[in-house]
Amino acid sequence: MLRTAVRNVLAHKARLLMTVLAVMLGVAFVSGTLVFTDTLGNAFRNQSAKSYDKVAVAVTTWAERGDEETAAVDEATLEKIRHLDGVAEATGRVSGFAGVADPDGKLIGNGWSNTGSNFVPGAGGKDAQYTFTTGTGPVKAGQIALDEETAKKGEYRVGSPVRVATNGPVKEYTLSGVFTTEDGAVNAGGSLVLFDTAVAQRLYLRPGEFKDVNVVAEPGASDTALLAAVKPLLPEDAEAKTGAALADEEAEMTESGLKSLNSMLLAFAAIALFVGVFLIANTFTMLIAQRTKELALMRAVGASRRQVKRAVLLEAGVVGLIASVAGFLLGLGLATGLRSAMGAFGGKIPAGPLVVSPTAVASAFGVGVLITVFAAWLPARRAAKIPPVAAMSSVHAVATTKSLVVRNSIGGVLTLLGSAAIVAGAAQGGEDGRWILGAGAFLALIGVIVLIPLLSRPVIALARPLLAKLFGVSGKLAAQNAVRNPRRTGATASALAIGLTLVTGISVLGVTLGQAIDKMTTDNIRADYMVSMASGQPLDESALTALRKADGVAAATPQRAVWLTVGKEGVSASGVTPGDVEKTFDLKTVSGSLSSLGDGEIAVDRKTAKSHGWRTGDSVPVTYQDDKKQTLKVGALYEGNEFLSPVLIPEDLVAPHESLSDIREVWLTMDGGQSDANEKAVVDALGDNPAMSVMDRQGIRDMFGGFINTALNIMYGLLAMALVIAVLGVVNTLAMSVFERQQEIGMLRAIGLDRRRVKRMIRLEAVVISLFGAVVGVGLGTFLGWAIGKSLSADIPGYALVIPWDRLGLFLVLAGLVGVLASLWPARSGARLNMLTAIKTE
């Protein structure tokens, strides 16, 4: 039977080509994902190990500039560590944000991973952590060194002036050298600036103090013993660990992050493979129908049902194995391509080999073979039921509709149960509601797939008069052919329906959330500009002072992050400027007056006040972060604003209690509103600082809504594989249908249907099937998008369902285009059939 299975695969290799392609693409997705994440994990693990290779003990403190309470490691402590037995070297480091401007004055890097640190020359004037390609490290106040990638992007050479921004005003330095590094921030697309140690200490901490210390052991010294000796010398809040322990921690964090990426990519691979199941099942169903006489003869000469079934499953196994080999090789190429693509988009992956683990190999081949055999199981079962007497009948077995009654009943029950669960989950909301909704969505999707053969007749019947009117005989025949075998049409359309259900659901949800966020931005903000640090860190007090003096500024308020304790409960507050906050934010007063902020009172949003039982005029005892207490009066209640904390407090009240000024943003309202002149005045006031972001209203809307569009585009890209497999399914069904209907096409040619009309008939059949699947997918996807959005609506201010009619229309147009493209080869093959040869074909 194995020999027979292999011969049958070789005999029908053209008709199995699309099945091989579908499985190959799914396997490539799985193997590419596993190899890619394994390669990333290995590269970052090696980088962590290399970073701490010579570090015996690493000391970390949480000291910051301006924070006088948190202790750092001073010079005296560092000297004590250096004189411990077994210590070869101890290096003190300070670090923080540093942004470098490119030739156009824009920030190089992504902001959050732009870092500054200190150059620590050892013996011979070199810092063992960095390898200089040109020049030397900075040894005086006006010098800096840059990583190689940043110097290249900024077109800087040794001796060039470089504008560098920290959290304060931008300053100009002279480039003393360029170095290479395996620093994680640089690999993540950021930059690294090295300062002289004294300069770095003034910028990021305090003179003579270090934030971190790395200890190198003498040969033969124990890391554990050094750790025990170092710990007693450190400040109370400092943390010390061995280099090996830190490398292991970083490796674990990397693996944890990659697991999420791995799970997401494998989920989309599973969708692609699920779509491929329909193509495989359809292919083997049609092959068995075309080989009815052959299989019946096998039964007649003594083959048992089990042997026939086994033969078909062996064929599927051979096809799956071939596809798995091709898919695995393609997956290796995909992993290599993804790695290169990350570099093209600014992410630098540490050097390392492509990692092909046994798990990746086993998963790829296991998935490819098992999915193919699973999809072929029902067709194999039907093949086993072919009686020997069928050897004397026609080659092509006529599809029976007897089992459709049972199938439709099961599909109807699943669809009703799933729809009810979706509605219930949407109404309940919250995490529990979303679990119910997810289960309902799965049931409804399966139910609709089961029901698709039943749905095909009435839905396609609606299009039949239009097709007959527009395309005559070709259109009428196309509509009839599309519903001739409802199982086949259903299986072909199901693949497209699944893909478009997901695409439509994501689109409806994404556009709805995007519009809600956009509305939230426009409804809550009156300011013309928002100023913040590109790094996400707090702004320096000097930036606020400079902005208040800028030309054209009518109102300026910071959004200072403040934490108050009321009783035993913490409450988030925003330190704002009285009188200006009303001009920069749209605050709807419920009771009292916001002008009371100028009298040293606070304003509370309505929901927070209700939860604490506060009313206008109440006195609220609070404790600041410095443990000082004060009683504040509630001067106003207002409707919540998404850009402010639930409590507004005058910034003058906060200042004496905050050692660090935590200014997240500064909001500006300008005389004359937004204009090029006003924006230039703001930029100039900040000293044309590349590390500070100045956004107008549209920029603010794009910032908050941009991640929705980015997420949508990523989802579309990942679902493209499933849609490609669905297209292959349409091509495969039409090609095998043309082969199956050779005699019929020959008769149509003989009675006057010319080649052009034959092509049109096959094309229209493909378009009808594609549009049918698209209509089902768009309808179900819209329903799911509404339900998911409804379950989230309680957490999204201003939520309102938005149906993106333009995108849904585009999906239907693309589905029709898919049908046309998928039919090109089958239509050409059908039109070129010799009518006399075709008539004689059984």
Side-chain angles (χ1 to χ4, degrees):
M1 298 307 290
L2 176 61
R3 192 182 301 118
T4 302
V6 174
R7 284 177 179 173
N8 280 326
V9 169
L10 295 175
H12 303 101
K13 52 184 177 291
R15 280 176 269 176
L16 289 167
L17 176 62
M18 297 301 168
T19 298
V20 170
L21 286 175
V23 179
M24 180 185 75
L25 291 174
V27 169
F29 209 146
V30 172
S31 59
T33 295
L34 293 174
V35 171
F36 176 63
T37 51
D38 286 346
T39 299
L40 253 63
N42 182 68
F44 285 116
R45 275 193 300 274
N46 289 342
Q47 182 192 52
S48 298
K50 187 176 179 180
S51 299
Y52 295 103
D53 183 34
K54 296 180 180 179
V55 176
V57 176
V59 178
T60 305
T61 72
W62 285 266
E64 297 286 346
R65 179 172 175 259
D67 180 6
E68 301 297 332
E69 295 180 3
T70 305
V73 178
D74 57 24
E75 286 279 4
T77 303
L78 183 60
E79 281 301 315
K80 289 178 182 178
I81 294 173
R82 285 173 177 159
H83 287 88
L84 290 173
D85 291 338
V87 172
E89 183 183 350
T91 306
R93 301 282 181 187
V94 285
S95 60
F97 170 78
V100 179
D102 67 10
D104 298 324
K106 303 297 182 183
L107 182 68
I108 297 175
N110 49 33
W112 58 269
S113 60
N114 290 352
T115 310
S117 187
N118 60 312
F119 174 72
V120 184
K126 294 183 179 181
D127 189 329
Q129 196 162 332
Y130 309 104
T131 302
F132 279 79
T133 56
T134 57
T136 59
V139 292
K140 56 185 179 180
Q143 294 181 334
I144 60 161
L146 292 176
D147 69 272
E148 193 172 45
E149 194 66 27
T150 301
K152 182 179 178 182
K153 290 177 181 177
E155 301 176 8
Y156 295 121
R157 294 185 176 87
V158 173
S160 298
V162 182
R163 296 176 69 244
V164 180
T166 54
N167 283 15
V170 64
K171 293 182 181 179
E172 191 171 278
Y173 298 84
T174 301
L175 183 64
S176 66
V178 176
F179 58 87
T180 59
T181 178
E182 288 296 322
D183 187 276
V186 176
N187 287 332
S191 61
L192 179 59
V193 181
L194 294 182
F195 300 91
D196 174 63
T197 295
V199 173
Q201 286 174 330
R202 287 197 301 272
L203 287 172
Y204 299 126
L205 195 55
R206 296 178 286 269
E209 295 189 0
F210 299 94
K211 187 175 181 180
D212 307 311
V213 175
N214 290 335
V215 179
V216 178
E218 291 179 343
S222 166
D223 293 357
T224 307
L226 279 181
L227 178 64
V230 167
K231 276 186 174 181
L233 303 177
L234 301 177
E236 184 179 349
D237 294 333
E239 183 179 65
K241 293 182 180 180
T242 64
L246 277 176
D248 290 341
E249 281 185 13
E250 284 195 9
E252 286 178 12
M253 289 175 62
T254 299
E255 287 177 7
S256 177
L258 289 174
K259 277 180 183 177
S260 300
L261 173 65
N262 201 37
S263 299
M264 183 185 75
L265 293 176
L266 287 177
F268 284 94
I271 292 168
L273 288 166
F274 183 55
V275 170
V277 166
F278 293 94
L279 190 159
I280 300 164
N282 223 11
T283 301
F284 278 92
T285 297
M286 295 176 75
L287 277 176
I288 286 163
Q290 294 167 13
R291 289 163 50 198
T292 301
K293 194 169 186 177
E294 172 194 329
L295 294 169
L297 281 170
M298 289 175 63
R299 292 292 314 282
V301 298
S304 66
R305 286 188 174 187
R306 182 178 296 178
Q307 286 177 311
V308 171
K309 182 179 178 181
R310 191 184 302 156
V312 175
L313 292 178
L314 281 171
E315 288 179 38
V318 172
V319 170
L321 185 61
I322 294 169
S324 295
V325 172
F328 183 73
L329 295 175
L330 181 62
L332 296 180
L334 181 64
T336 304
L338 283 172
R339 183 172 178 172
S340 301
M342 282 189 70
F345 284 103
K348 184 182 175 184
I349 299 174
L354 200 67
V355 178
V356 183
S357 66
T359 302
V361 177
S363 298
F365 283 86
V367 164
V369 174
L370 289 175
I371 286 291
T372 311
V373 171
F374 171 76
W377 184 80
L378 276 177
R381 189 168 173 269
R382 292 193 196 105
K385 292 182 177 180
I386 295 174
V389 72
M392 295 180 290
S393 60
S394 172
V395 171
H396 306 310
V398 179
T400 176
T401 58
K402 182 180 178 180
S403 61
L404 282 176
V405 176
V406 176
R407 175 174 180 156
N408 293 338
S409 300
I410 294 172
V413 170
L414 289 175
T415 303
L416 286 173
L417 288 174
S419 300
I422 289 171
V423 173
Q428 181 172 334
E431 187 174 351
D432 292 339
R434 286 190 279 276
W435 277 108
I436 295 171
L437 197 157
F442 178 76
L443 286 175
L445 184 60
I446 298 298
V448 169
I449 289 170
V450 174
L451 277 179
I452 270 188
L454 175 66
L455 296 172
S456 64
R457 291 185 182 275
V459 174
I460 295 175
L462 293 174
R464 189 181 301 168
L466 181 63
L467 290 171
K469 185 177 181 179
L470 292 177
F471 302 103
V473 174
S474 297
K476 184 178 180 180
L477 289 172
Q480 290 175 346
N481 288 335
V483 294
R484 177 188 294 182
N485 190 326
R487 285 195 186 89
R488 182 183 304 168
T489 298
T492 306
S494 291
L496 271 174
I498 293 166
L500 282 174
T501 294
L502 298 172
V503 169
T504 303
I506 289 169
S507 297
V508 171
L509 183 62
V511 171
T512 298
L513 293 180
Q515 184 139 322
I517 291 172
D518 191 61
K519 186 175 185 297
M520 177 184 73
T521 305
T522 54
D523 287 354
N524 287 293
I525 296 173
R526 288 181 179 175
D528 296 308
Y529 297 102
M530 181 187 80
V531 178
S532 61
M533 290 293 294
S535 62
Q537 294 178 329
L539 284 158
D540 190 79
E541 194 74 34
S542 61
L544 176 60
T545 303
L547 288 169
R548 282 177 168 154
K549 295 178 181 178
D551 293 338
V553 173
T557 182
Q559 208 279 72
R560 297 178 187 268
V562 181
W563 190 252
L564 305 174
T565 303
V566 181
K568 294 183 179 180
E569 186 177 345
V571 178
S572 174
S574 291
V576 297
T577 304
D580 284 3
V581 69
E582 303 99 307
K583 298 175 184 177
T584 51
F585 294 96
D586 189 5
L587 299 172
K588 298 178 178 62
T589 306
V590 176
S591 64
S593 173
L594 290 171
S595 62
S596 61
L597 288 168
D599 300 325
E601 298 178 0
I602 62 173
V604 184
D605 79 35
R606 181 178 56 81
K607 289 184 180 179
T608 302
K610 184 178 179 181
S611 67
H612 287 84
W614 298 337
R615 295 182 181 180
T616 305
D618 286 354
S619 295
V620 179
V622 302
T623 304
Y624 294 100
Q625 285 186 292
D626 62 355
D627 293 330
K628 299 290 179 61
K629 300 181 185 295
Q630 187 176 4
T631 299
L632 301 174
K633 184 178 179 181
V634 178
L637 301 183
Y638 66 96
E639 290 292 345
N641 188 296
E642 298 302 317
F643 295 90
L644 293 168
S645 298
V647 175
L648 304 183
I649 182 170
E651 58 176 328
D652 291 342
L653 288 181
V654 178
H657 306 285
E658 299 286 332
S659 58
L660 292 174
S661 183
D662 196 355
I663 304 175
R664 299 295 174 170
E665 309 104 20
V666 176
W667 299 83
L668 306 172
T669 299
M670 310 294 291
D671 291 326
Q674 295 179 16
S675 67
D676 291 342
N678 277 337
E679 185 169 342
K680 186 175 187 303
V682 173
V683 172
D684 289 346
L686 296 169
D688 195 15
N689 193 323
M692 293 186 185
S693 168
V694 178
M695 290 187 186
D696 59 15
R697 287 188 184 180
Q698 186 58 50
I700 296 167
R701 293 165 68 182
D702 292 342
M703 178 183 71
F704 286 101
F707 74 93
I708 297 283
N709 293 326
T710 301
L712 276 177
N713 291 332
I714 291 172
M715 296 292 186
Y716 289 156
L718 292 172
L719 287 171
M721 187 73 76
L723 293 174
V724 168
I725 292 174
V727 172
L728 293 177
V730 178
V731 175
N732 195 50
T733 298
L734 288 173
M736 296 185 73
S737 180
V738 167
F739 177 82
E740 188 177 278
R741 287 154 39 196
Q742 287 185 68
Q743 189 178 57
E744 175 190 318
I745 293 172
M747 290 295 293
L748 290 171
R749 291 288 315 283
I751 61 175
L753 197 68
D754 58 22
R755 289 185 174 181
R756 181 171 56 86
R757 290 179 179 176
V758 169
K759 284 183 179 180
R760 185 184 297 166
M761 175 186 73
I762 296 170
R763 287 196 193 108
L764 289 173
E765 183 180 346
V767 170
V768 166
I769 293 173
S770 297
L771 284 176
F772 168 58
V775 167
V776 173
V778 166
L780 184 57
T782 302
F783 177 49
L784 289 177
W786 162 81
I788 296 170
K790 183 70 175 173
S791 72
L792 298 169
S793 60
D795 302 321
I796 303 171
Y799 170 85
L801 178 67
V802 179
I803 305 294
W805 297 109
D806 53 343
R807 298 195 190 195
L808 302 190
L810 178 62
F811 295 157
L812 294 175
V813 170
L814 290 176
L817 182 61
V818 161
V820 172
L821 295 175
S823 66
L824 291 177
W825 173 44
R828 185 169 178 268
S829 300
R832 293 180 65 184
L833 285 174
N834 182 291
M835 68 179 75
L836 295 177
T837 304
I839 289 171
K840 292 188 293 181
T841 301
E842 290 189 355

